Amino acid sequence: MTTNDAEPIFDVAELASFELYSPDVDATVRFFCDLLGMIETARSGDSVFLRGWEDPYGHSLKVTHRQQAGMGFAGWRASSPAALERRVAAIEQAGLGRGWVEGEVGMGPAYEFTTPDGAVQRLGWEVDYYAPPEAERSIVLNRVQRRPLRGVPIRSLDHINLLSKDVTANKRFYADLLGFRLSEHIIAGDDTEMGAWLRTLTRSHDVALVKDAVGEGGRLHHVAFLYGNLQHLEDACDVLTDHGIEFEAGPARHAISQAQFIYVFEPGGNRIELVGVPGYQITDPSWEPVLWAQDAIDNAIIWYGADLPAEFDTYATPLVGATAYRTPNRYVAAEAAVLFGAR
Ligand SMILES: [Fe+2]
């Protein structure tokens, strides 16, 4: 039986928020607000809360100060209060629950847990919707607000990509306990699963899990934001270049998901993917996961447009060990080891 043969669950609806750790919150917030047009909606303690102009909730990105870059948590929204209860029961039964978190800005109670890799996740139902001030209201009533006149504004949070010690075990966690469906995966010649792209509903993927070449689990490879339009991606390339942001790769097109993208490093050191044309939608209820075997791996990540640098396989946040990373971005302006320390 493949992962998708199980009865659909559909209890998790979407990635609603994401916490990013940055050693330089001010620079990270400037990157997202000034260059990518995100809107700051709140500050609390060491955290700044941001949203894209089409994100429906009070925030989609929480930037929190930490010495090491990386991921705080991925915040998922359940499909209903009952769906939340069902998933919490399943997670608790698996022994991976941490308990309820209350008091998050703009969010109701959320249940915190970890993946087998140790990546922290939250699942909740109650959220505060963004209510724009009068001057930001759009005459287009299905828009959350007017498009900001700042930078090249991203529309919304899109997906995350986490490096994994054991892709198969973590894929099963998302599929069996949370109800995600497998869209595509890569299996190497020795039968090791090297990557898995999973979806909650119809987006090609909401989370990707890729085998960590340095053997860690749960590191952030990238968090992605959506433009939905190739021209906006090219406009972003102009703006980012003018402000000293080096691209790691792109503009190019993935084969897996078929999304058009660029990868850049925000000033805190985290890799950010900007998605121009998004991936395909999957509405087929009996979709058979696409399997990329060893002989097709070279074609899986990039369809056309660019080669990926060697660091693409090893650079993730937090950085680990004494690995000599190429400084990814002159905006970061220092050796990675100095900024992030060695673990
Ligand atoms: Fe991605």
Side-chain angles (χ1 to χ4, degrees):
M1 186 159 112
T2 68
T3 306
N4 284 356
D5 289 338
E7 186 64 17
I9 295 174
F10 300 134
D11 276 354
V12 178
E14 62 171 352
L15 181 66
S17 67
F18 184 81
E19 185 181 34
L20 192 68
Y21 289 154
S22 170
D24 188 342
V25 169
D26 287 345
T28 296
V29 168
R30 282 202 306 275
F31 168 84
F32 282 111
C33 290
D34 295 352
L35 306 183
L36 301 184
M38 291 188 83
I39 299 121
E40 180 181 325
T41 56
R43 286 187 178 232
S44 177
D46 288 341
S47 300
V48 181
F49 297 81
L50 312 174
R51 53 178 285 282
W53 66 286
E54 289 200 342
D55 278 318
Y57 311 132
H59 68 269
S60 59
L61 180 65
K62 175 184 182 182
V63 180
T64 297
H65 181 261
R66 287 285 188 282
Q67 282 302 109
Q68 298 211 17
M71 162 185 161
F73 64 86
W76 302 93
R77 188 160 187 232
S79 301
S80 69
L84 174 59
E85 277 180 33
R86 284 193 294 269
R87 289 312 102 211
V88 170
I91 295 161
E92 284 186 335
Q93 202 167 30
L96 289 162
R98 284 184 164 184
W100 290 92
V101 177
E102 307 217 18
E104 176 78 350
V105 171
M107 300 281 173
Y111 191 79
E112 187 168 284
F113 55 98
T114 60
T115 65
D117 268 328
V120 179
Q121 318 274 295
R122 291 182 187 176
L123 181 63
W125 164 250
E126 291 175 28
V127 291
D128 287 345
Y129 282 84
Y130 181 66
E134 196 60 41
E136 284 178 18
R137 288 184 196 277
S138 173
I139 60 166
V140 183
L141 297 183
N142 54 21
R143 284 187 151 171
V144 181
Q145 65 163 97
R146 286 180 176 170
R147 187 172 190 254
L149 302 174
R150 187 176 61 254
V152 184
I154 59 96
R155 287 170 181 268
S156 54
L157 179 62
D158 194 78
H159 68 267
I160 52 172
N161 183 311
L162 306 178
L163 295 189
S164 180
K165 222 175 223 174
D166 181 338
V167 170
T168 303
N170 286 274
K171 174 193 76 177
R172 287 196 176 128
F173 175 83
Y174 277 103
D176 298 345
L177 273 76
L178 299 179
F180 286 50
R181 312 278 284 172
L182 180 65
S183 299
E184 307 199 36
H185 59 158
I186 298 173
I187 295 186
D190 64 357
D191 287 339
T192 302
E193 195 159 27
M194 301 300 288
W197 282 254
L198 297 120
R199 67 188 185 280
T200 56
L201 297 174
T202 63
R203 200 192 301 258
S204 70
H205 62 288
D206 299 89
V207 62
L209 305 166
V210 175
K211 179 93 174 157
D212 191 337
V214 301
E216 292 285 320
R219 294 196 297 151
L220 176 66
H221 189 270
H222 63 263
V223 54
F225 296 88
L226 179 67
Y227 276 121
N229 181 310
L230 187 57
Q231 183 60 49
H232 295 164
L233 191 62
E234 299 199 345
D235 292 344
C237 290
D238 268 349
V239 167
L240 295 170
T241 298
D242 274 345
H243 289 81
I245 302 293
E246 275 186 22
F247 305 160
E248 184 184 36
R253 190 165 194 177
H254 291 302
I256 290 175
S257 88
Q258 297 191 28
Q260 287 178 289
F261 68 90
I262 58 173
Y263 289 110
V264 299
F265 292 95
E266 58 85 19
N270 296 290
R271 182 189 284 104
I272 305 297
E273 182 178 21
L274 300 176
V275 179
V277 177
Y280 55 77
Q281 299 279 311
I282 299 175
T283 54
D284 174 2
S286 54
W287 170 273
E288 195 60 33
V290 176
L291 169 61
W292 298 81
Q294 180 75 47
D295 60 356
I297 284 178
D298 283 350
N299 298 330
I301 304 300
I302 297 277
W303 177 3
Y304 67 74
D307 285 329
L308 293 171
E311 290 88 355
F312 189 79
D313 294 331
T314 54
Y315 186 98
T317 46
L319 303 181
V320 292
T323 308
Y325 295 99
R326 177 180 68 106
T327 303
N329 186 341
R330 60 177 180 269
Y331 207 68
V332 172
E335 290 295 325
V338 174
L339 266 175
F340 308 112
R343 204 169 72 172

